[in-house]
């Protein structure tokens, strides 16, 4: 097979990149080692920045998002005795949407299969070759067991932390560096058939640990509890989870809504950045190059930012035969990556308890500052809703 851009990974980054390139007349082929059913069922992020919504809308992917997504004007910050609302439009003129990554992927796959570029699920034995030349290739075995060779001008690695793309860059990119931080806590997350009892997300600091009240629809809540990374999900009954949530969200005159728990899991938390995000004709985007803790709602949005930059660079490279944007891609993307990494670290550090009384007082001092200072609140709002590309 022959294409201009071979894309490894059919998550939101790879699918959106293929879509943006197609709109500019650039051919691509997407290969994915999982099934369509698996990819469409993965429970991931649910908060879309203003920028992400604008990009999806401009790419023709906004119809269901605007019909079913939940537009949000802000968040509530809570600590014992206080629940304070940050009004994002008032603070920075932007807002966010609640629309699950699962739904974004479904929309992109449907568009891809309805006359879009080729999309191959259930591939195996993916290998990337000759990325240091102008003619890289991807070898893989298709779903029917037939070996395939995909000749490309460029390869885009949007295949996550465990995919082959990151390893190829790490093996041969000049000046390769890696930064990583593992946090001493995890999130226990649940999906519940319970109407949200709040109009906006609640980020709650409590001596027992952090809790987040989110939602997926007017009838489905998404809630999280801070737990020890060594906890086992089997040790957390539904009753124990609801009791912990009720305690941490306790606020005078308000009660949490409960319902049937339909999914629960424990999510470890870490920060990871790899640089550069390029080796020759292989470019990385999304989790293949960086991972952030979910506290700041940056993961999916950061992948979209990468893809916007990369699509512009590849159009310039393949249509105009100019290398300037491609050569600048890694440095340009990493500036935003580190800003989002810092914000995610800051939100995580402000809200997750460590058991140290000194840390607790510092956290409460910071929360009081954000809730009482317009400048501090605006800084949070600008980062949360997404800085300009």
């Amino acid at each position: 097979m022959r294409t201009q851009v071979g894309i490894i990974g059919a998550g939101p980054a790879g699918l959106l990149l293929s879509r943006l390139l197609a709109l500019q007349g650039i051919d691509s082929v997407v290969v994915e080692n999982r099934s369509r059913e698996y990819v469409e069922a993965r429970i991931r992020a649910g908060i879309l920045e203003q920028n992400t919504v604008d990009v999806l809308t401009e790419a023709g992917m906004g119809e269901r998002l605007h019909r079913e997504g939940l537009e949000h004007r802000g968040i509530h910050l809570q600590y014992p005795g206080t629940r304070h609302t940050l009004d994002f439009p008032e603070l920075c003129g932007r807002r966010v949407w609640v629309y699950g990554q699962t739904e974004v992927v479904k929309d992109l796959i449907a568009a891809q299969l309805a006359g879009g570029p080729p999309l191959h699920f259930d591939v195996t034995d993916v290998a990337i070759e000759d990325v240091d030349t102008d003619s890289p290739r991807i070898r893989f075995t298709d779903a029917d067991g037939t070996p395939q060779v995909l000749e490309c001008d460029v390869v885009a690695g949007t295949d996550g932390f465990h995919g082959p793309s990151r390893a190829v860059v790490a093996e041969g990119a000049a000046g390769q560096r890696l930064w990583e931080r593992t946090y001493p806590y995890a999130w226990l997350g649940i999906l519940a058939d319970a109407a949200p009892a709040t109009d906006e997300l609640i980020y709650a600091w409590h001596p027992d640990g952090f809790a987040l009240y989110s939602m997926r629809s007017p009838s489905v809540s998404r809630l999280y509890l801070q737990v020890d990374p060594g906890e086992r999900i089997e040790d957390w009954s539904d009753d124990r989870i609801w009791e912990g949530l009720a305690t941490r969200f306790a606020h005078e005159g308000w009660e949490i809504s409960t319902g049937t728990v339909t999914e629960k899991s424990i999510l470890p938390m870490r920060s990871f950045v790899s640089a550069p995000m390029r080796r020759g004709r292989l470019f990385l985007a999304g989790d293949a190059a960086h991972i952030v803790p979910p506290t700041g709602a940056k993961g999916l949005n950061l992948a979209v930012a990468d893809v916007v930059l990369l699509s512009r660079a590849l159009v310039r490279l393949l249509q105009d035969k100019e290398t300037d944007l491609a050569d600048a891609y890694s440095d340009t993307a990493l500036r935003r990556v580190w800003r989002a990494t810092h914000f995610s670290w800051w939100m995580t550090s402000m809200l997750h308890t460590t058991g140290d009384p000194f840390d607790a007082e510092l956290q409460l001092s910071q929360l009081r500052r954000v809730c009482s200072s317009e400048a501090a609140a605006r800084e949070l709002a600008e980062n949360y809703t997404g800085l300009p590309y």
Side-chain angles (χ1 to χ4, degrees), residues 205 349 354-366 368:
W205 183 98
S349 301
T354 66
D356 185 321
F358 187 82
D359 286 348
E361 293 303 323
L362 292 177
Q363 291 169 326
L364 289 168
S365 176
Q366 181 65 63
R368 286 191 290 267

Side-chain angles (χ1 to χ4, degrees), residues 94-215:
R94 297 195 295 275
R95 57 201 70 204
V96 297
W97 274 255
V98 171
Y99 190 68
Q101 177 174 316
T102 304
E103 306 309 314
V104 174
V105 168
K106 288 177 182 177
D107 294 343
L108 288 165
I109 288 176
Q112 193 96 350
L113 296 179
L119 170 55
H120 299 270
F121 291 105
D122 291 308
V123 309
T124 56
D125 307 318
V126 176
I128 311 164
E129 300 176 352
D130 294 337
V131 298
D132 297 317
T133 74
D134 291 340
S135 302
R137 68 177 61 87
I138 302 170
R139 294 186 184 272
F140 65 94
T141 302
D142 67 21
D144 295 325
T146 305
Q148 300 284 357
V149 180
L150 178 61
E151 303 284 351
C152 317
D153 296 315
V154 168
V155 176
T158 60
D159 46 346
F161 182 82
H162 297 290
S165 302
R166 186 180 68 85
V168 172
V169 173
E171 288 168 4
Q176 179 70 22
R177 294 193 65 187
L178 184 152
W179 298 264
E180 190 167 14
R181 172 159 297 178
T182 301
Y183 295 90
Y185 23 73
W187 279 10
L188 190 160
I190 66 167
L191 275 174
D193 290 334
T198 175
D199 55 343
E200 306 288 9
L201 278 69
I202 304 173
Y203 285 77
W205 183 98
H206 188 274
D208 290 353
F210 169 71
L212 172 61
Y213 202 133
S214 183
M215 61 284 292

Side-chain angles (χ1 to χ4, degrees), residues 91-372:
L91 289 164
C92 65
R94 297 195 295 275
R95 57 201 70 204
V96 297
W97 274 255
V98 171
Y99 190 68
Q101 177 174 316
T102 304
E103 306 309 314
V104 174
V105 168
K106 288 177 182 177
D107 294 343
L108 288 165
I109 288 176
Q112 193 96 350
L113 296 179
L119 170 55
H120 299 270
F121 291 105
D122 291 308
V123 309
T124 56
D125 307 318
V126 176
I128 311 164
E129 300 176 352
D130 294 337
V131 298
D132 297 317
T133 74
D134 291 340
S135 302
R137 68 177 61 87
I138 302 170
R139 294 186 184 272
F140 65 94
T141 302
D142 67 21
D144 295 325
T146 305
Q148 300 284 357
V149 180
L150 178 61
E151 303 284 351
C152 317
D153 296 315
V154 168
V155 176
T158 60
D159 46 346
F161 182 82
H162 297 290
S165 302
R166 186 180 68 85
V168 172
V169 173
E171 288 168 4
Q176 179 70 22
R177 294 193 65 187
L178 184 152
W179 298 264
E180 190 167 14
R181 172 159 297 178
T182 301
Y183 295 90
Y185 23 73
W187 279 10
L188 190 160
I190 66 167
L191 275 174
D193 290 334
T198 175
D199 55 343
E200 306 288 9
L201 278 69
I202 304 173
Y203 285 77
W205 183 98
H206 188 274
D208 290 353
F210 169 71
L212 172 61
Y213 202 133
S214 183
M215 61 284 292
R216 284 294 181 270
S217 74
S219 60
V220 176
S221 294
R222 180 69 163 156
L223 304 108
Y224 299 93
L225 282 170
Q226 176 190 341
V227 298
D228 186 273
E231 290 281 353
R232 301 186 315 145
I233 197 67
E234 297 81 9
D235 295 332
W236 285 82
S237 67
D238 293 359
D239 288 343
R240 183 185 179 191
I241 292 170
W242 287 120
E243 182 180 347
L245 289 166
T247 297
R248 299 185 197 187
F249 285 123
H251 189 66
E252 186 176 358
W254 179 89
E255 290 185 358
I256 192 171
S257 296
T258 61
T260 302
V261 175
T262 58
E263 190 270 344
K264 57 183 175 181
S265 58
I266 291 180
L267 172 70
M269 300 178 67
R270 65 189 180 114
S271 295
F272 161 83
V273 180
S274 178
M277 293 170 58
R278 175 193 184 184
R279 174 186 168 186
R281 286 291 182 109
L282 170 59
F283 297 82
L284 303 181
D287 287 359
H290 45 74
I291 293 172
V292 293
T295 323
K298 292 294 117 190
L300 169 60
N301 297 293
L302 201 50
V304 170
D306 288 348
V307 164
V308 170
L309 291 173
L310 183 55
S311 64
R312 294 171 182 169
L314 296 184
V315 170
R316 177 98 166 136
L317 177 67
L318 299 175
Q319 286 187 344
D320 302 335
K321 309 303 180 184
E322 297 289 344
T323 65
D324 53 345
L325 294 184
D327 292 340
Y329 166 70
S330 181
D331 289 341
T332 304
L334 283 166
R335 282 195 290 272
R336 188 181 188 89
V337 167
W338 278 114
R339 175 86 294 275
T341 298
H342 178 271
F343 177 68
S344 300
W345 164 85
W346 177 76
M347 287 282 285
T348 301
S349 301
M350 177 173 66
L351 290 162
H352 291 75
T353 58
T354 66
D356 185 321
F358 187 82
D359 286 348
E361 293 303 323
L362 292 177
Q363 291 169 326
L364 289 168
S365 176
Q366 181 65 63
L367 284 163
R368 286 191 290 267
R369 169 68 177 169
V370 173
C371 294
S372 62

Side-chain angles (χ1 to χ4, degrees), residues 2-51:
R2 180 76 177 84
T3 192
Q4 290 176 285
V5 182
I7 301 173
I8 304 174
L15 293 167
L16 180 59
L17 178 61
S18 181
R19 176 78 178 179
L20 294 178
L21 291 174
L23 292 173
Q24 295 297 317
I26 302 291
D27 296 331
S28 67
V29 173
V30 182
V31 297
E32 165 61 47
N33 68 347
R34 301 283 194 170
S35 68
R36 177 183 179 182
E37 293 73 22
Y38 179 90
V39 170
E40 290 186 338
R42 284 186 291 205
I43 302 297
R44 292 291 189 270
I47 304 297
L48 304 184
E49 292 177 358
Q50 178 84 60
N51 296 323

